[in-house]
């Protein structure tokens, strides 16, 4: 907070700051030297590595600081290295498009080689030519360029007409939060509300799209809070005050203030920092507990991104838009010893978070966190021993800043083995059979975790691999509610009135909202050509005299021939299993090998299909979709999702109704949450999680973990702290 | 297996065995002395304590052998002690009803005092009079008796007309498996199938009820398997052979053989025991992993059944029918320091497992594992370090055998703290706000676990308590499939034919089935009088000009006045939250305090309502029900569920439509699974789990774990094995 206040007063005294900001973005300076590059604070204010983890002594820090200066790629899908990002930036800087005008780089990532090339590639082969795909704004126009890092060739892609804009840069999100201060009227409004300008904290809120008034201009809405007396400024909204800002020019377009009479909540006891808790309130009521491995972890990470654990091998990489990406996931068959393909690529494709309040300062809150904010850009460094347990391995993100320079997000993903005391399989014989058998296997898993803090909310995304072949994809929601100020202090003041949420504390409403997280799952079950099979459980009535039973359930299989047959709305009363099978590969007894998508707790989207947010969020109209693989169909809300009109979504692709039988197919799954806030979510939310599974179904000949050993006391001696040993 | 073969040959040579069996049940012998009582093998063949845990050296065994001879009850709901069971048996033995005829005790448990008395009772008060409630069969009649342990008074309860029978005793289940051998025709059939009688393993299968032919007689169906060449005899069914047995007289009534031409599957590689794995196949690919607590666990168990952990206090007891029972669960309010009521009593009330095959040898498989077999009776001793991790506390069950004598089921429930590396809550600030904050709290829980092995299937039931007030009730399914023999060896032999399941291996079909587990949840939120509120999320369309939005979701609360308003069928497209609130206790800002029932993955029952199994399993017609507290309504399928006709179920009680607003109410939740077997389930199933939550909703003023500390490296020094230290 002190730093912020300092910056703020500096800003207010420096009228030239804004001009400098754009100068800084302009590629006039020479490329920084390596030392600067790796001390990211020297070239980008958005690197958090210098300050985290905060609770570690230097000698205890389990996360070695990886020197990224000499990184080289080892797999065709490995992300761009520091060197490669610099090279791309250097190539771009001599391109005519970037020579004459201010620009900003919105994305600079690997352009993946064609899948056929990747599939043919083997360890030891030279890598296919490395290329970068760049999304840049130049002169208020969006461009997509391919930069060949070997030939230095730059190709400007024809993107065709599209309504939306690229993902914001972190720099312009930040810039936008300062823009309102340029307005005297805004400053006066703040002062009239009794807030010192130095206590102001503002958030950049994507506007969505609601019609012609909001077109042909890149817009953002800025709303502000008071930081006075609490680090949890989110609980002190300056309600009803919305500043419409032009993102390109960073100018105020319009100020709307409909909350003049709404007090700023006092927000007592809302500071969630441990350092802010009164010592007499600290609840140290549990003894320390840890996952310990006397012989160390069982996994290894090779060549930066290749993970080997148990019977699994997969690649894992940080991505600025998707967060974490799994690629080339294979599992070893216990019978043949062969590694078998399961997933070509999987990641969080888009999020959709519509709030349920139609009033002026709230209706537009319909976030798409991946395409608007960058789900990976918002993933901060993880906190060892709290975000991830002992023996976690931490992976850094290497991303490009708005000026094209690389920076390092330290410890962005962690990888660890988890053991919760759960059971992999078991059976005990009852004494009735005369057999004295109790056979139990513990369940140990490998988790790849990231946590994105998209302003107030924290999304924890886990890819959890099990030795039995199951992959659980879990999303945890924590962080802080986006709350609404109100003049009410007790529910007895508004009998019957709809607040669009719950009164959580005096003057604080937790507004109802949904979360949808849509995953891209390019399944390759023993190869690329797969089919999607709905195994529907139907009630079958028996015919007269057939059986004392009147009914039973029958499994009816139907292969989806085209995309529309694979637009799935889940139903408790018309249940199905959803198999992705390879019709050309069968088990010994003749079942096609497959994996199934296993939904669990989720929420369906109930907004009107014609509501502008839902047109943009149409990828949540079904829980499952299947499309033929198409390298341009990566982002469920469209590549340019910011302010898009919804013309380039999974719904529009799927409605082309292409053939999907025995083809290279991509499965899309949407996990949903309805959230009616409650007082326990105040001032910070206990994590709520939901998940779905990808599970082998006749993929193996039999239980692949039959031959795993049980735990024994010999293998697990009681641990004593090393210090006391 | 050796023991079985020995027993079998002994049996075949001893024609007097059957007579002896009933003699043994007859209470002619004097009560055993204490030494005999505690060496349970001396008086009951169904005690497993003598042989488990099997993989422990004596000095490493973490489970002290509790001496139950001096146990005394400390709480009005504590289960009967060894002494009390003996006393009840002694009182009964002098009662005229038991003097003249053979009898069997089907249940001998605590008769709970009235709830009002229990609620008034405080630690230090004398216990209310201790009574036993006994269900006995005498002369082929079922009786329910109350035995006052202080006055020795016995009252025979009028049970009224009822179609069903009590839970089988383990002794008669066992007895039934030997009955077919009394039939020469059966023995010849077995020999004709090429099976030696000494390789026979038979299972007692409850018959359900399908009409008049099966009434007025206590029946069981026995089906058999070959134990030759595998401990996993379940994979070697003697398909189509069903022996109908009279449970009371232990006589063969009818033999049906419709599987003469179906071979016994070879079942190669189906032995799941570690000792049976070829050493070169053992997959030791993971390093040892353990949950370790340098300062030991944080929970304590006082007075045998009172658990204290973190902010929770609750009682936990083993029960022969329900398995594990939670009672008097309270959580400490962080603001007031007071313990506040959450659950008066919660347990597994009934299970329903209908198989989906209408043919002769399968249609009747519609198990109700609690009321027919005894969910607790089937819970075997847990395996330390595999069923439960380091630092688990093991609790014994003390039950009555068919002769009324007490026996001890060692280590039937375990209690342990779990830490999976998960996150209790977190928030990181984006650098945009200039705040350098990453605050994360690890998530640690307390699990109470039991595992019932109802013949082939294993049910793992977890009650998991979180410090944030949430209780997760989780059921894991593992064990072995009930499979069907077939002449098919490959799917290409039966194109289009419905096998009622999946071909899992040569000659083995995994038959489709459902599992339903219905929980009794007597919620007392800050006292007994509560209301059930449906908080329905409804789509609200905006009026013209109201908002750029066309729709949003609105929460509409409806208090259920009567039972029928609380018969809930879950729907993804008509979503609700389900709150149990105390309308008389409000938070500071006026919300009624409450807990909500939070469903997750589940399955709905799709059988015809008129199908006989579904009439009996009518308690699964809805996922949620709410009834007014009634001490006679404990078992969702009825007290006498064996062969019942479904006239005494939760459905019939609820249809009385009694008032439930601001009353002492009981919530019932049914967790469901559809199971279409796959090859990975063969020869033993990786655990599949599902759960639901009881979660505070405006119960606390704010997040109750705000003041919990994070993990630090100082608290969690790296553990080294003590041996090497």
């Amino acid at each position: 907070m002190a730093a912020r206040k300092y910056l703020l007063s500096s800003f207010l005294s420096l009228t030239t700051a804004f001009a400098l900001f754009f100068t800084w973005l302009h590629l006039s300076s020479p490329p920084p030297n390596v030392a600067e590059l790796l001390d990211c604070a020297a070239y980008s204010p958005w690197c958090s590595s210098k300050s985290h983890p905060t609770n570690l002594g230097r000698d205890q820090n389990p996360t070695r600081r990886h020197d990224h200066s000499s990184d080289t790629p080892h797999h065709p899908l490995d992300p761009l290295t520091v060197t490669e990002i610099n090279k791309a930036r250097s190539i771009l800087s001599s391109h005519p498009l970037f020579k004459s005008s201010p620009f900003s780089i919105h994305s600079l990532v690997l352009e993946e080689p064609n899948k056929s090339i990747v599939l043919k590639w083997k360890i030891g082969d030279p890598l296919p030519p490395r290329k970068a795909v760049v999304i840049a704004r130049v002169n208020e126009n969006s461009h997509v360029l391919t930069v060949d890092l070997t030939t230095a060739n730059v190709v400007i892609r024809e993107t065709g007409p599209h309504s939306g804009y690229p993902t914001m840069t972190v720099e312009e999100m930040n810039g936008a939060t300062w823009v309102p201060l340029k307005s005297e009227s805004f400053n006066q409004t703040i002062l009239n509300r009794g807030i010192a300008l130095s206590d102001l904290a503002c958030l950049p809120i994507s506007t969505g799209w609601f019609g012609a008034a909001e077109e042909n201009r890149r817009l953002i809405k800025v709303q502000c809070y008071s930081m006075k007396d609490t680090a949890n400024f989110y609980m002190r909204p300056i309600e009803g005050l919305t500043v419409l800002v032009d993102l390109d020019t960073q100018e105020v377009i319009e100020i709307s203030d409909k909350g003049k009479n709404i007090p700023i909540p006092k927000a007592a006891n809302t500071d969630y920092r441990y350092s802010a808790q009164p010592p007499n309130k600290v609840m140290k009521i549990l003894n320390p507990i840890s996952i310990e491995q006397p012989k160390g972890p069982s996994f290894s990470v090779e060549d930066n991104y290749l993970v080997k654990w148990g019977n699994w091998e997969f690649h894992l990489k940080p991505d600025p838009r998707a967060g974490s990406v799994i690629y080339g996931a294979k599992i070893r068959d216990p019978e043949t010893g062969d590694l078998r393909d399961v997933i070509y690529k999987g990641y969080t494709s888009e999020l959709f978070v519509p709030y349920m309040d139609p009033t002026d300062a709230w209706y537009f809150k319909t976030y798409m966190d991946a395409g608007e904010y960058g789900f990976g850009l918002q993933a901060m460094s993880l906190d060892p021993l709290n975000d991830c347990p002992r023996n976690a391995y931490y992976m850094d993100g290497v991303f490009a800043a708005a000026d094209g320079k690389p920076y390092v997000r330290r410890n962005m993903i962690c990888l660890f083995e988890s053991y919760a005391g759960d059971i992999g399989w078991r059976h005990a014989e009852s004494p009735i059979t005369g057999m004295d058998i109790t056979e139990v296997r513990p369940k140990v898993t490998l988790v790849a975790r990231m946590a994105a803090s998209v302003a107030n909310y924290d999304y924890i995304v886990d890819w959890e691999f099990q030795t039995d072949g199951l992959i659980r994809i879990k999303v945890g929601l924590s962080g802080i509610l986006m709350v609404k100020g109100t003049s009410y202090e007790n529910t007895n003041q508004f009998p019957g009135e709809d607040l669009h949420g719950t009164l959580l504390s005096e003057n604080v409403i937790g507004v109802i909202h949904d979360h949808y997280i849509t995953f891209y799952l390019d399944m390759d079950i023993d190869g690329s050509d797969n089919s999607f099979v709905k195994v529907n459980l139907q009630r079958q009535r028996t015919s007269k005299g057939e059986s004392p039973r009147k009914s039973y359930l029958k499994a009816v299989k139907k292969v989806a021939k085209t995309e529309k047959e694979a637009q799935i709305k889940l139903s408790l009363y018309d249940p199905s299993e959803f198999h992705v099978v390879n019709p050309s590969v069968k088990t010994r007894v003749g079942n096609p090998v497959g994996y199934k998508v296993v939904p669990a707790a989720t929420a369906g989207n109930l907004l009107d299909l014609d509501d502008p947010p839902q047109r943009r969020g149409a990828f949540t109209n079904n829980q499952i979709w299947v499309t033929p693989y198409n390298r341009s169909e990566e982002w469920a809300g469209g590549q340019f999702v910011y302010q898009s009109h919804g013309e380039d979504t999974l719904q529009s692709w799927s409605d082309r109704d292409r053939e999907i039988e025995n083809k290279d197919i991509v499965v899309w799954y949407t996990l949903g949450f309805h959230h009616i806030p409650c007082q326990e979510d105040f001032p910070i939310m206990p994590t709520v999680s939901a998940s779905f599974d990808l599970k082998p179904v006749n993929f193996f000949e039999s239980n692949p973990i039959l031959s795993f050993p049980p735990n024994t006391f010999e293998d697990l001696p009681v641990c004593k702290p090393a210090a006391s040993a």
Side-chain angles (χ1 to χ4, degrees), chain A residues 51-57 60 383-386:
Chain A
S51 51
H52 290 285
T54 52
N55 70 349
L56 296 181
Q60 288 179 309
D383 185 23
L385 282 194
N386 288 298

Side-chain angles (χ1 to χ4, degrees), chain A residues 202-275:
Chain A
C202 299
L203 294 181
I205 300 176
S206 55
T207 53
W209 161 74
F210 292 89
E214 292 167 341
E215 292 173 16
N216 303 316
R217 200 167 184 182
R218 212 154 62 97
L219 300 171
I220 195 156
K221 288 184 172 173
V222 179
Q223 295 187 334
C224 302
Y225 299 80
S226 169
M227 290 196 293
K228 190 157 185 291
D229 300 332
T230 181
N232 193 346
F233 63 85
Y234 301 101
M235 293 301 120
R236 305 206 70 192
I238 303 170
E239 190 53 46
L241 179 64
T242 309
V243 183
L244 183 65
V245 167
D246 185 306
L247 255 182
D248 281 315
T249 64
Q250 302 260 334
E251 284 170 349
V252 172
I253 298 173
E254 191 184 334
I255 298 174
S256 167
D257 187 2
K258 308 224 165 150
K260 287 189 181 69
N261 299 319
I262 299 174
I264 313 294
K266 290 195 183 64
N269 306 318
T270 57
D271 196 333
Y272 52 91
R273 293 173 303 163
Y274 187 59
S275 59

Side-chain angles (χ1 to χ4, degrees), chain A residues 74 95 147 248 455 511 519 567 570 593 603 644 691:
Chain A
H74 294 85
H95 191 275
V147 180
D248 281 315
V511 176
F519 287 88
Q567 294 183 350
L570 299 175
V593 299
S644 69
S691 65

